[in-house]
Amino acid sequence: MKKGKIVSGMRPTGKMHLGHLHGALLNWKNLQEEYQCFYFIADWHALTSEYAHPDIIRESMYDIIIDWISIGLDPEVSTFFIQSEIKEHAELYLLFSMITPLSWLERNPTYKEQLRELSQKDIYTYGFLGYPVLQAADILMYKANGVPVGEDQAPHVELTREIARRFNHLYGEVFPVPDVLLTPTSKLLGIDRRKMSKSYGNAIFLTDTDKEIDAKVGEMITDPQRARKTDPGDPDICNLFSYHEIYTDDETIENIRSGCRSAQIGCVECKRMMASTLKTGLEPIRAKRKDLEADIDRVKEIMEEGNRKSRTIARKTMEEVRDAVKI
Ligand code: TRP
Ligand code: SF4
């Protein structure tokens, strides 16, 4: 018997990279055992920032779904769907918008931060302010008990909890109040030691070729104090070493640790080893991706099946909601 339901989504705004893999997807994969999981493509959410160039949404959607399956999210176990295919989300979003005080949205720290960070995009829109209200509809539609998200998304889930409470208070108990299931932040930084992100140009993508991986690993910043091979290094402050900790076997890791400290091993060699274990580690994911790319109809069927299942639940929830609101 599973512990409860969880819902989580991803905005299709580009290809998946190692930051997504270690920061979210592997956690989603593990949760499949314990929970009934709903994982979805948040294409309407993507539109809040990409409305002027929506092509990226269509383009990246299937790439992302293929990545999900390739890393081990199992459509036989979890339900996948596409947000815009379940129109009920729009209706619930509208009803929630009636009961959500503006002040809750305006004080949201993620909102304020995004306005600052995405200053090159015009996101002073009604839709962008209402982003967490739509997110609440996504979550509460399936009566989720938990929402696995990174720290940046925790305020949104907090708002979902408040909206659920307010709805229940006004109209009667319809929604469980879901818990935040905080995903530990990934230790893997981008090749320039900043947070891995497509927009920083520092990401290693799940779809990168061997050549691309070699080139990116070659560029990686290591221990910045270690200028020459004869200088001893410190693996604990080396960005590359944290990749070894994930992809390389324990014995080799120990050799690298001592070899680096005693200047027996140079960064060039260390990079070569890391690129090699990284490629080996990604190989099963790539093999699965290749199979799926050759059978894209199967992937579409998976999504249609998931959309159908989700829609059935959404319709049922909306019946309860309309009864409660008496409209
Ligand atoms: N806002 C989330 C993100 O950018 C995506 C998302 C949309 C989501 N709806 C959700 C996550 C519901 C969890 C639950 O990562
Ligand atoms: Fe980092 Fe490896 Fe160079 Fe040490 S030898 S500083 S662990 S890249």
Side-chain angles (χ1 to χ4, degrees):
M1 198 44 204
K2 300 213 166 166
K3 277 207 288 199
K5 284 193 246 178
I6 63 168
V7 171
S8 201
M10 253 179 208
R11 280 170 304 137
T13 55
K15 295 188 287 186
M16 299 276 101
H17 52 60
L18 294 182
H20 297 115
L21 179 65
H22 295 284
L25 292 177
L26 292 176
N27 185 46
W28 285 15
K29 178 181 166 189
N30 294 335
L31 289 165
Q32 292 185 122
E33 317 281 320
E34 281 175 74
Y35 293 89
Q36 186 188 351
C37 302
F38 293 84
Y39 295 133
F40 73 98
I41 300 285
D43 53 348
W44 278 337
H45 275 112
L47 211 48
T48 59
S49 60
E50 309 305 317
Y51 61 87
H53 307 283
D55 291 351
I56 184 76
I57 299 175
R58 278 269 145 218
E59 280 161 24
S60 50
M61 197 147 95
Y62 276 91
D63 261 341
I64 293 174
I65 294 162
I66 288 174
D67 284 333
W68 285 3
I69 305 173
S70 305
I71 68 102
L73 295 186
D74 184 350
E76 303 283 324
V77 177
S78 303
T79 306
F80 302 163
F81 68 88
I82 296 167
Q83 184 185 38
S84 66
E85 292 287 332
I86 321 293
K87 309 296 179 199
E88 284 75 7
H89 287 224
E91 184 181 355
L92 190 55
Y93 165 58
L94 177 129
L95 293 175
F96 285 165
S97 76
M98 304 298 167
I99 66 167
T100 306
L102 260 187
S103 59
W104 290 4
L105 300 174
E106 284 165 346
R107 71 168 186 229
N108 176 337
T110 306
Y111 174 68
K112 290 198 241 167
E113 189 187 308
Q114 297 251 307
L115 283 185
R116 250 180 285 126
E117 261 183 28
L118 303 178
S119 55
Q120 76 284 14
K121 287 188 181 150
D122 182 3
I123 49 175
Y124 283 90
T125 60
Y126 170 58
F128 194 70
L129 179 67
Y131 186 112
V133 184
L134 180 57
Q135 189 158 345
D138 301 333
I139 296 167
L140 298 176
M141 186 68 88
Y142 304 92
K143 302 194 176 179
N145 310 99
V147 188
V149 286
E151 209 162 344
D152 62 316
Q153 292 292 312
H156 291 166
V157 182
E158 204 44 63
L159 250 153
T160 299
R161 291 163 57 84
E162 291 184 74
I163 292 173
R165 284 196 208 97
R166 188 161 163 89
F167 185 99
N168 291 344
H169 171 75
L170 289 165
Y171 307 116
E173 285 294 317
V174 173
F175 297 113
V177 178
D179 292 321
V180 183
L181 306 176
L182 209 57
T183 316
T185 28
S186 164
K187 280 200 303 180
L188 285 192
L189 297 173
I191 60 172
D192 59 358
R193 298 173 105 212
R194 290 189 293 169
K195 185 182 165 193
M196 195 179 284
S197 160
K198 181 191 56 159
S199 53
Y200 291 159
N202 64 1
I204 297 179
F205 295 98
L206 296 181
T207 45
D208 278 351
T209 59
D210 282 358
K211 251 176 120 175
E212 285 167 322
I213 291 181
D214 287 337
K216 287 178 183 177
V217 172
E219 272 177 51
M220 269 176 84
I221 297 175
T222 61
D223 171 358
Q225 309 289 330
R226 193 172 186 206
R228 280 173 303 265
K229 191 180 161 190
T230 46
D231 300 335
D234 182 357
D236 293 333
I237 59 163
C238 174
N239 184 25
L240 195 116
F241 192 70
S242 49
Y243 283 68
H244 274 303
E245 286 180 307
I246 294 180
Y247 286 99
T248 305
D249 66 272
D250 289 349
E251 199 187 323
T252 315
I253 290 178
E254 276 323 303
N255 291 340
I256 292 170
R257 200 194 296 277
S258 55
C260 173
R261 292 218 163 98
S262 59
Q264 300 281 310
I265 150 175
C267 294
V268 174
E269 186 188 351
C270 190
K271 284 179 170 179
R272 196 187 42 73
M273 288 160 77
M274 196 282 272
S276 151
T277 53
L278 175 59
K279 286 182 278 189
T280 311
L282 294 179
E283 196 40 48
I285 301 178
R286 293 170 170 183
K288 191 84 205 272
R289 156 172 275 281
K290 228 173 164 182
D291 290 348
L292 291 163
E293 278 173 342
D295 194 2
I296 198 76
D297 287 344
R298 172 82 198 107
V299 181
K300 293 202 163 138
E301 264 168 41
I302 289 172
M303 293 315 290
E304 272 159 29
E305 173 67 22
N307 288 342
R308 255 196 307 278
K309 269 199 214 158
S310 310
R311 205 174 285 126
T312 306
I313 300 173
R315 288 199 176 134
K316 199 164 153 286
T317 304
M318 286 317 295
E319 277 170 25
E320 286 174 52
V321 166
R322 290 182 209 119
D323 270 358
V325 182
K326 300 191 175 55
I327 205 152

